[in-house]
Every structure is written in structure tokens, then in C-alpha cells.
Amino acid sequence: MDTLTTRQKKILSLIVHEHIASADPVGSKNLVKKFGMDLSSATVRNEMGALTDAGLLRQPHTSAGRVPTEEGYRYFVRQLMNKTSLPPAIRATINHQFSQMTNDIQQWMRLAASVLANRTHSASLITAPQASEVKFKHLELIGAHGRQVLAILVLEGGQIHQQMLALDEPVTQEQLSIISRKFSQELAGKNAGRINLFIEPLTTVEKQVLDWIENEIIRSDQLPTGEIILDGLTNVLSEPEFAGSEEARRALRLLEERSILQDLLSQTILPDAIGGVQVLIGGEGSWNDLRQCSIILSKYGSPGVATGTIGILGPMRMSYGNSISLVRFFSGLLSDFVTQQW
Amino acid sequence: MDTLTTRQKKILSLIVHEHIASADPVGSKNLVKKFGMDLSSATVRNEMGALTDAGLLRQPHTSAGRVPTEEGYRYFVRQLMNKTSLPPAIRATINHQFSQMTNDIQQWMRLAASVLANRTHSASLITAPQASEVKFKHLELIGAHGRQVLAILVLEGGQIHQQMLALDEPVTQEQLSIISRKFSQELAGKNAGRINLFIEPLTTVEKQVLDWIENEIIRSDQLPTGEIILDGLTNVLSEPEFAGSEEARRALRLLEERSILQDLLSQTILPDAIGGVQVLIGGEGSWNDLRQCSIILSKYGSPGVATGTIGILGPMRMSYGNSISLVRFFSGLLSDFVTQQW
DNA sequence: ATTAGCACTCTAACGTTAAGAGTGCTAACA
DNA sequence: TGTTAGCACTCTTAACGTTAGAGTGCTAAT
């Protein structure tokens, strides 16, 4: 790929900025006027022609201004954008919003999704942090009526599974406590593969409970990601390029259809470094329904322990500087939470 | 309100059905042709005129067919619609989908929201079942590193709160177990008001834990509804009457903005009877953003113990028979779940 | 290398027109 | 008295033609 002259970079950058602001194609004459360039429109036109040949700009039709192509946006994001960091005032405001929260990961995810969506005017998504390897931590059995027992399984990292079990035989609360304590001691720190090595003479009820535990842990291991929080879907709809088109609906459908979304997330190579941000522009050729959209994703959490994904989906014509620094900031926020809790 | 002749009812009913199917205004001539009526279009026209005078129909413009008004839909739903019950085949299919689920209320809500949204082609919403009065059931304290302790509070009905507490003083796991057991016995069945009657010489740590418990229970009491599950928002967008308009966006915004949604739910009088269904048509005058939408709501759960709300939001031009019976069915499904678990 | 000038192209907006659908009214009919 | 045929009228929608404006690419001059 031919490298561009500094003037060409300057012009490309201005066009991207102007188009993001106005949503309209930008022409040579307006460009020089608006930014007080000491060049004539004709010169700018020549450069724009070169950029068009290079595949970074295109014209919606012969007599319209230029619009960045996917490739143009990519070049902009990768080479031209000045890495803005989030203004301290905004950091402070957001931190304040979270300072009054309980320590519940669910609540944090919800609030993060909401604030991120509002500040970026995009749809936001967050997947729950997923432990790299699920390990047993604690078991509690609480009798209800009859043979009904509320079983609570605590996994390392604080994940909690609860279920009402109908026992095969009636058991007193006394006995339940004994079983709980026994299992909690014997199984502590064991992963799915080592749960069933726990072989001793077991009562029917103990066997039943153990089966349930193993089942839950295996299931937690297998589900690649758990819950997904979405917010701000309607933000995307208010963008002018989606006014009344099917495009937006199909893009949002991608988010709502969790299985498709999981595909997308698992097929995307995220930078391993926490705080690293991946920008997908225009579906990157693979996702037809995202041709007009861009996605910004970041992994968060504690590598090797538990990680999740946070990101936004907005129109390709989005304010990348802002959005990227916001995603990065929230990624850090949730990482801190996870590190502190796990 | 003047009562209508049987023929007028018949015609109103046909118009509603036809308009729901076609999304277009329906004219007298097409009506007689399509349904093979042994009346002339002129007669039908006269009746349509009467129905228009009665406020049940309107014309988008002079030379267009008729469309039901809000009032017209209301009359239809209340008086004309034959109460269809869900076909057994569909019941069976849905039951089957749920038969393989774990007993987790979250999972059930999610699946129910998804299936309900798909089958009604509308947006669906479900609020988590909320206990009528929150009562303590069980406490568990599990030591982590240092003074960090994972506190798990089980409320009657199976609601679980967890939080990582930083204790004021270091405490061994032994002591934690003793505290857990003591609290679990002494506080069992107590509600928020009676938690603090538990006055005995308390250690610093015990006091700290007790404060936390009280706090959590009060908070649970005060929050009128907890989590809200949404699904199928994009379904609404594909309706022709919303093609490219702001209307749909604003209606969906109402759902996404949880605080507004809670307002709406709390201001709506739901039939107390479980399985009863409330139909709100066109925002019922109060909700401007819902002028083109209808909402079908039903309370589910176990009255006096724990209840939640389930419902859908779709275009006013929706298939009420289908939708109502689906909402009713899912309401029953979740009620059964709650009754069984609580 | 840059720029002024100009012919050219294409869109968006506007007005006109014609076709089609549906109505309301009147007068005839059973 | 209820029903129907006929007809003039209204209004939307699509199609077409026109025009103003914006932006371009090219050429020739600086």
C-alpha cells in the first residue's frame, strides 16, 4: 500500500471529521472554506481524486462530495487519529456514579452498559466475566418443605448457582448441614475433572447432590459466555443513515439473537492485553448485516482468572476517538471490579 | 354508548381482521368481494358511515378506506373477539422447550421472553417475581483472603443476595460458621421491621453483618420491581406502520428507559386475578409515545407471596386473539414455576 | 506545483398530470 | 323502510418534466 503525503493525510482526516459531524458527503469547496485552508478547492480536488483512486474515499454519485470508504475509516483509525484519553472531568463523573453501587457484578454490568450506551450514542453490550476454569468453592443445602431442598453452589470467583432439588429420600436439616460441610471441605478448589475422583461410600442423597454439582460445574465450563447485557439499541436507530431502512433493524437483530452474537464474539480475535481495543469497521467483509456499522470491543477482567467482553455497536460514521476511549475506560473499570472481587 | 346492530358488529369485526392482515385501509367494495358478503358495497358503505360517526372507524383521508380507531380496537377486543385458547400443539411445543430447563428463574424468564417475542412478533417484557414481603431465611459467610468475606443472604422465596464484605476485624472461618448458624436460627422468617429487634451483646463483626442484612432486606422491600427482561425489540421495527418513523424509536425507548417503564407498570391497574390480562390500546390517552402501540400485560406468580408482570408491546394493529392467549399462557407457565419454587 | 475557469453530470425539489380507489348522495326498487 | 345501482367528487400516488444547485474533472495559464 502506497503511503500518503502529509497533505493527503490532512485532507483525509478533515473529510472524516467533517463527514462524522454532518452525515453528508463533503465537497472540496466547503472543505477549504470551513477549515480556512490556504489551498484552492482545485488542489484539494486533485488530492481527493488521488485518495479516491487509493480506495480511501468514494463518491455516492458523480456530482456529490466524497465520503470515506471502510478502508478510509480504517486508515483514519489506525494512523491518523490522535489517541485521545478521556477528560478527567468525565472520568470523575462516571467514577462517582459507580461509587454508590453495591458490589454486585450484575448491577455493575447494567450500569456500565447504560452509561456507555448513553455517552457513545450507540448500542452497548457486555458479557459476564467468565472464569477461565471453573472450580468448586462451597456448598450449602437448606431444607424447604418435604424433600425440597435449596442447593446453593458457590464457585471460585463468586459465581453462584442455586436450584431447588427434590431429594430421592427425606433428610433432616441436621443431615443436610453435615453433607454441606463435608462436601465443602473435600471438594474445595476442585475443577470439573476432579470432582468425580471423590469416591467413598456415598448415600443416595449424597450421590444425587454430587451429580448435581458436577453437572453445574461442567455446564459452567462449557458455556463459552454466560449472560449478555445489552443497552441503548434505540440509539442506533436515531442515526440519519438508518432512517427508515432495514439496515439498522438487521444489525440490531444480530445483537438480540444471542447465538449469532456469540458467534461474532468468538470469531473475533481480541487483543489479549486488558485495555486493548479492537475496532471492527463495516463488518470487515464477513458480516453483511453490519456493512454500515462499526463495532468497538475490549476484553476486560483478570487474564487467566476471569474475563468478559465489553463493547459498542454504532454507525460506521461514529466518533471513534470518543468511543474508543470510553470503551477503554469502562473496560478498565470492570477489570478493577473483577480483580478486586475474584 | 349506543349498542350496535349485529350487522354492524360483523362489519367492524371484518374490517379489524382485514386491516390487521393487510395493514392498509379497507374499502367497502373489497370487503364484500373478499368475504363474499351477500350485501352490496353501498349498504356496507352506509354501515361504515354509521360506525365512523360512532367513533369506531376513521378515514385517513377522504378517498381512502376505513381504519379502526383506538376506540374501535377496544370495542373489538372487549366485545367482538372470540376468546381463542392456544392450540394444544403450540402448548405442547412450548412446554417441551421448557421441560429441559434448569430450575433457575432467570433462565426461565429469558426463555419465556424470547419465545413470547418470537411468537407474537412483538417486543416482550418480564419483570422478576417480587416477594410481597421480604423475609430472612438463611445466611452464609465464607472467608476469602484477609478480611474479605463472601456473604450470602438467602431470602424466603429463593432470592439470593451476595456481596463481598471487608470486615472491620479479622475473623477465622470457624467463627464465621458460628455467626452464620446463629443468625440463620435467630432471624429465620423475620421481615425488615423485626430484624433490629434482635438485641443481644453483639461483637463488632456481628453488628457489621447484621447491618448489612438489614440494609439488603430493606432495599429489597423498597425496590418495587427488580430486574426487567426485554426481548424482541427489533420485531416492532419491522411493522410497516413504523417504517422509518420516529414513532417506533420513541416507543422502544420507553422500554429501554427502565425507570419510565416502571412508572408505566406501576400506574397500570392489573387485574388481581392471576391469568387475567389487561390490554392497553394506543397508550390509553396517557402515553403519547405509545399512540400507535398496544400493550398486553398480565400479572403472574402466587398472590400474596410473590408476583411479577409479563407482557408484550406491539403495533396497535396486532393480532389480539393470538397475542392475548400467548401472554395468558406464559403467565400461567411462570405462575406454575413460582408456585412450585416459593 | 498550483490555480482559475468552464463544461458536464447528477440529485433533490417542485409542479403538473393522469390513473385509481373510495366515498357520499340521490333516485329507483322490493 | 331497507337495499341497491349509478354517478360526480375528492384525494392519494406514481410518473414525468423541469430547474436550481452542488460538485466534479479537465484544460490552460501562472
Side-chain angles (χ1 to χ4, degrees):
Chain A
M1 179 76 62
D2 227 332
T3 181
L4 306 178
T5 68
T6 28
R7 193 169 65 187
Q8 285 171 335
K9 290 180 186 173
K10 174 83 180 168
I11 288 175
L12 174 57
S13 178
L14 287 178
I15 289 176
V16 171
H17 273 117
E18 180 58 16
H19 177 64
I20 285 174
S22 72
D24 288 325
V26 14
S28 54
K29 202 161 186 173
N30 274 325
L31 201 62
V32 299
K33 190 167 67 186
K34 191 142 196 173
F35 294 94
M37 304 174 74
D38 42 359
L39 282 174
S40 76
S41 63
T43 310
V44 174
R45 262 203 299 286
N46 286 332
E47 298 288 37
M48 282 161 89
L51 289 168
T52 305
D53 290 342
L56 300 175
L57 296 179
R58 67 183 175 84
Q59 304 177 260
H61 48 264
T62 321
S63 77
R66 302 305 213 285
V67 162
T69 60
E70 293 185 27
E71 217 39 73
Y73 279 116
R74 268 181 219 125
Y75 191 95
F76 173 80
V77 169
R78 291 214 260 268
Q79 325 242 359
L80 268 36
M81 208 177 55
N82 41 353
K83 318 281 182 194
T84 59
S85 68
L86 213 53
I90 296 183
R91 286 168 186 270
T93 310
I94 298 175
N95 277 324
H96 181 68
Q97 289 183 276
F98 280 84
S99 66
Q100 302 158 333
M101 291 287 287
T102 78
N103 280 343
D104 181 17
I105 179 68
Q106 288 259 349
Q107 307 241 9
W108 278 59
M109 285 167 66
R110 263 179 235 294
L111 182 59
S114 166
V115 177
L116 180 57
N118 274 324
R119 291 206 175 261
T120 59
H121 307 294
S122 300
S124 65
L125 65 119
I126 306 183
T127 70
Q130 198 71 13
S132 315
E133 189 188 37
V134 181
K135 287 180 183 169
F136 177 97
K137 175 157 188 178
H138 190 89
L139 173 73
E140 196 64 23
L141 298 173
I142 303 167
H145 3 266
R147 298 182 183 176
Q148 295 285 321
V149 165
L150 176 62
I152 303 178
L153 172 63
V154 184
L155 303 178
E156 290 211 347
Q159 220 186 119
I160 293 186
H161 293 238
Q162 51 163 313
Q163 184 161 342
M164 202 60 92
L165 297 180
L167 296 184
D168 296 337
E169 298 173 357
V171 176
T172 67
Q173 176 65 52
E174 193 71 32
Q175 291 171 295
L176 288 177
S177 300
I178 294 173
I179 299 179
S180 306
R181 221 163 315 142
K182 180 175 167 188
F183 278 23
S184 292
Q185 282 176 6
E186 301 271 352
L187 298 181
K190 294 214 163 51
N191 60 18
R194 282 162 55 214
I195 288 283
N196 48 15
L197 296 181
F198 177 79
I199 304 176
E200 281 187 40
L202 291 174
T203 68
T204 318
V205 168
E206 282 178 341
K207 183 135 182 37
Q208 187 185 0
V209 172
L210 189 63
D211 280 350
W212 174 73
I213 294 175
E214 195 180 355
N215 221 321
E216 290 293 315
I217 292 187
I218 289 176
R219 177 153 38 198
S220 294
D221 252 343
Q222 284 174 344
L223 286 182
T225 65
E227 196 177 354
I228 300 176
I229 304 277
L230 299 178
D231 205 334
L233 298 202
T234 54
N235 287 348
V236 179
L237 298 174
S238 51
E239 297 298 332
E241 54 261 61
F242 291 133
S245 89
E246 280 290 284
E247 292 275 342
R249 219 193 92 250
R250 276 190 291 162
L252 293 182
R253 176 125 217 106
L254 230 69
L255 294 187
E256 277 209 319
E257 204 75 65
R258 310 286 163 123
S259 55
I260 303 182
L261 179 54
Q262 298 219 343
D263 262 20
L264 187 149
L265 290 179
S266 63
Q267 285 186 33
T268 302
I269 300 125
L270 286 178
D272 236 10
I274 294 301
V277 174
Q278 175 77 342
V279 184
L280 303 178
I281 293 174
E284 301 284 336
S286 310
W287 304 93
N288 250 329
D289 291 343
L290 297 180
R291 241 174 319 184
Q292 299 202 36
C293 299
S294 283
I295 296 181
I296 301 178
L297 292 174
S298 172
K299 207 192 245 184
Y300 74 88
S302 179
V305 180
T307 56
T309 304
I310 181 171
I312 63 173
L313 180 151
M316 202 192 305
R317 182 187 65 74
M318 70 160 72
S319 174
Y320 288 93
N322 242 337
S323 299
I324 289 175
S325 46
L326 275 161
V327 169
R328 181 178 286 126
F329 178 73
F330 275 98
S331 175
L333 195 73
L334 291 181
S335 292
D336 290 349
F337 181 92
V338 169
T339 316
Q340 191 199 326
Q341 293 278 311
W342 253 243
Chain B
M1 177 78 61
D2 226 332
T3 182
L4 305 178
T5 67
T6 28
R7 192 168 67 183
Q8 286 171 334
K9 290 180 186 174
K10 174 82 180 166
I11 288 175
L12 176 57
S13 178
L14 288 179
I15 289 176
V16 170
H17 273 117
E18 180 58 16
H19 177 63
I20 286 174
S22 72
D24 287 326
V26 14
S28 54
K29 200 159 184 174
N30 274 326
L31 202 60
V32 299
K33 190 168 66 185
K34 191 141 197 172
F35 294 95
M37 305 174 74
D38 40 0
L39 282 174
S40 76
S41 63
T43 311
V44 175
R45 262 202 299 285
N46 287 333
E47 299 288 37
M48 282 162 90
L51 290 169
T52 305
D53 291 341
L56 300 175
L57 295 179
R58 68 183 176 81
Q59 307 178 254
H61 49 264
T62 321
S63 75
R66 302 302 214 286
V67 162
T69 61
E70 292 185 28
E71 220 36 75
Y73 278 117
R74 271 184 217 121
Y75 191 95
F76 172 80
V77 168
R78 290 213 261 268
Q79 325 242 4
L80 268 35
M81 208 177 55
N82 41 353
K83 319 280 184 195
T84 59
S85 69
L86 213 54
I90 296 182
R91 286 169 186 270
T93 309
I94 298 175
N95 277 324
H96 181 68
Q97 289 184 277
F98 280 85
S99 66
Q100 303 159 331
M101 291 285 289
T102 79
N103 280 342
D104 181 17
I105 178 68
Q106 289 261 348
Q107 307 241 10
W108 279 58
M109 287 167 65
R110 262 179 236 294
L111 182 59
S114 166
V115 176
L116 181 57
N118 274 325
R119 291 207 175 261
T120 60
H121 305 296
S122 301
S124 65
L125 64 118
I126 305 182
T127 71
Q130 199 71 13
S132 315
E133 189 187 37
V134 180
K135 288 179 182 168
F136 178 97
K137 176 156 189 180
H138 189 90
L139 174 73
E140 196 64 23
L141 298 172
I142 302 166
H145 2 265
R147 297 180 183 179
Q148 296 285 321
V149 166
L150 176 62
I152 303 178
L153 172 63
V154 184
L155 304 178
E156 289 210 346
Q159 218 186 119
I160 295 187
H161 292 238
Q162 52 163 311
Q163 184 161 345
M164 201 57 91
L165 298 179
L167 297 183
D168 295 339
E169 298 174 356
V171 175
T172 67
Q173 176 65 51
E174 193 72 31
Q175 291 171 294
L176 289 177
S177 299
I178 294 173
I179 299 178
S180 307
R181 223 163 313 143
K182 180 174 167 188
F183 278 23
S184 293
Q185 280 175 8
E186 300 272 351
L187 298 181
K190 294 217 162 52
N191 61 17
R194 283 163 53 217
I195 287 284
N196 48 17
L197 296 181
F198 175 79
I199 303 176
E200 281 187 39
L202 291 174
T203 67
T204 319
V205 167
E206 282 178 341
K207 184 137 182 33
Q208 187 185 359
V209 172
L210 189 64
D211 281 350
W212 175 73
I213 292 174
E214 195 180 355
N215 222 321
E216 289 295 315
I217 291 187
I218 289 176
R219 175 150 41 195
S220 294
D221 253 343
Q222 285 172 345
L223 285 183
T225 64
E227 196 177 353
I228 301 177
I229 303 277
L230 299 178
D231 205 333
L233 299 201
T234 53
N235 287 347
V236 180
L237 297 174
S238 52
E239 297 300 331
E241 56 261 61
F242 291 134
S245 89
E246 281 290 284
E247 293 276 343
R249 218 192 93 251
R250 277 190 290 162
L252 293 182
R253 176 126 216 105
L254 229 69
L255 294 187
E256 276 210 319
E257 205 76 65
R258 309 288 164 119
S259 56
I260 303 182
L261 179 55
Q262 298 220 342
D263 263 20
L264 188 151
L265 290 179
S266 63
Q267 286 185 34
T268 302
I269 301 124
L270 285 179
D272 237 10
I274 294 301
V277 174
Q278 174 77 340
V279 184
L280 303 177
I281 293 174
E284 301 286 335
S286 311
W287 305 93
N288 249 329
D289 291 343
L290 297 180
R291 243 174 319 183
Q292 300 201 34
C293 299
S294 283
I295 296 182
I296 300 177
L297 292 175
S298 171
K299 208 190 241 184
Y300 74 89
S302 179
V305 180
T307 56
T309 304
I310 181 170
I312 63 171
L313 181 152
M316 202 189 305
R317 183 187 64 74
M318 70 160 73
S319 174
Y320 289 93
N322 241 338
S323 299
I324 290 175
S325 48
L326 276 162
V327 169
R328 180 177 288 127
F329 178 73
F330 275 98
S331 175
L333 195 73
L334 291 180
S335 292
D336 291 347
F337 181 92
V338 170
T339 316
Q340 190 199 327
Q341 292 278 311
W342 251 243

